[in-house]
Amino acid sequence: MDKLLKENLKVDVIVTSPPYNIRKEYGSYQDNKDRQDYLRWIYEISKKCQSILKDDGSFFLNIGGAPSDSLLPLEVCNKFIVSGYKLQNTIHWIKSISFEKEDIGKSNILRNDISVGHFKPIISKRFLTDLHEYIFHFTKEGNIELDKLSIGVPYQDKSNIGRWKSANQDKRDRGNVWFISYPTIQEGRPHPAVFPEKLPYQCIKLHGILPDMIVYDPFMGIGNTALACLGLDVN
């Protein structure tokens, strides 16, 4: 970030996922800071990122917690708000989901009960398995227009097309619940907390692809934000 400031470069989109401070086994980082130290650290990162983000830029922060500490993501979110960001959207990343056929609807092609996606089962008898993480979308003023249909989905009920003035094609706003799965890893993980490439891909597209745009990830991890950028031909 200091290098970007020195070169007077501003970025259009930041997509990242910091360590969650829930004792993940990182090779070179102790993921067990004192809670207040961790939140102060997050606050400093959020302030520094503001200095390199364009006024019309978007910051997409992916963070989860643990079933025994479900408030941590919200505390992190609050640090961003206190540092000056506006929370424009809260997106729910669903990693696994189950459907029962009676709830699917007659016009859907699915006809059987089904569970899809990857999850790590929680053995505890107190807590449900956690199948969800947050993607907090921060902007500086809370009024950034998005390219919502760039990640749109078709209508299940085609009679909706034309029913509303805005529904003039078979594509609708995806909404703030995203099912994004990732492959089950049977052997050693190259990184203990990976988000799939599709997550930053959709975030960048949602913000809107612009000429000469720059995307930045202060916690590069395994590099999936960079791979998403390569797929979208952005810097």
Side-chain angles (χ1 to χ4, degrees):
M1 282 189 265
D2 286 336
K3 184 173 186 290
L4 287 169
L5 288 170
K6 186 177 180 180
E7 297 178 3
N8 199 31
L9 285 173
K10 298 272 188 175
V11 302
D12 298 273
V13 176
I14 299 174
V15 186
T16 199
S17 183
Y20 295 179
N21 214 44
I22 54 175
R23 298 174 179 82
K24 287 279 187 183
E25 292 290 333
Y26 290 89
S28 58
Y29 173 76
Q30 294 299 114
D31 195 38
N32 57 352
K33 291 179 183 284
D34 172 81
R35 193 181 193 87
Q36 294 309 312
D37 286 344
Y38 173 75
L39 292 172
R40 279 192 290 270
W41 179 66
I42 287 289
Y43 174 83
E44 292 302 325
I45 291 164
S46 67
K47 289 291 289 185
K48 191 82 169 184
C49 286
Q50 277 192 58
S51 64
I52 64 165
L53 184 66
K54 290 181 180 177
D55 288 343
D56 59 354
S58 288
F59 191 134
F60 295 93
L61 179 77
N62 162 230
I63 188 161
S68 58
D69 189 5
S70 59
L71 288 179
L72 179 63
L74 303 180
E75 292 183 61
V76 169
C77 175
N78 187 57
K79 287 298 178 184
F80 273 73
I81 293 170
V82 170
S83 74
Y85 289 96
K86 302 286 193 260
L87 178 59
Q88 185 164 325
N89 288 284
T90 299
I91 300 163
H92 304 270
W93 169 28
I94 309 301
K95 295 180 281 187
S96 177
I97 192 166
S98 300
F99 301 95
E100 296 178 2
K101 61 182 179 180
E102 64 187 51
D103 300 321
I104 290 172
K106 294 180 180 179
S107 61
N108 199 298
I109 62 171
L110 298 176
R111 292 291 179 263
N112 299 302
D113 297 352
I114 186 171
S115 293
V116 290
H118 168 88
F119 65 93
K120 181 180 178 181
I122 299 296
I123 306 302
S124 167
K125 293 184 178 180
R126 295 180 297 152
F127 302 111
L128 296 171
T129 297
D130 193 5
L131 308 177
H132 154 270
E133 292 189 16
Y134 292 96
I135 306 169
F136 295 118
H137 172 222
F138 298 105
T139 59
K140 291 189 174 181
E141 299 297 333
N143 59 1
I144 301 304
E145 293 187 4
L146 301 173
D147 188 1
K148 297 196 297 182
L149 292 187
S150 69
I151 60 167
V153 294
Y155 285 97
Q156 177 183 336
D157 182 352
K158 305 305 180 185
S159 68
N160 285 304
I161 304 168
R163 184 178 297 172
W164 298 286
K165 192 173 182 180
S166 60
N168 56 11
Q169 59 179 303
D170 188 13
K171 187 176 282 190
R172 65 170 178 83
D173 175 358
R174 179 180 292 266
N176 67 346
V177 177
W178 296 359
F179 171 68
I180 304 174
S181 187
Y182 53 90
T184 301
I185 299 172
Q186 302 289 356
E187 299 176 358
R189 290 174 175 268
H191 188 281
V194 179
F195 59 52
E197 184 183 332
K198 188 174 180 181
L199 188 151
Y201 184 92
Q202 288 197 171
C203 290
I204 297 164
K205 287 195 74 176
L206 177 62
H207 175 79
I209 305 299
L210 305 166
D212 302 319
M213 73 184 295
I214 299 175
V215 175
Y216 181 70
D217 185 347
F219 296 98
M220 182 57 77
I222 202 171
N224 278 350
T225 299
L227 291 175
C229 289
L230 286 171
L232 292 167
D233 195 27
V234 300
N235 188 357

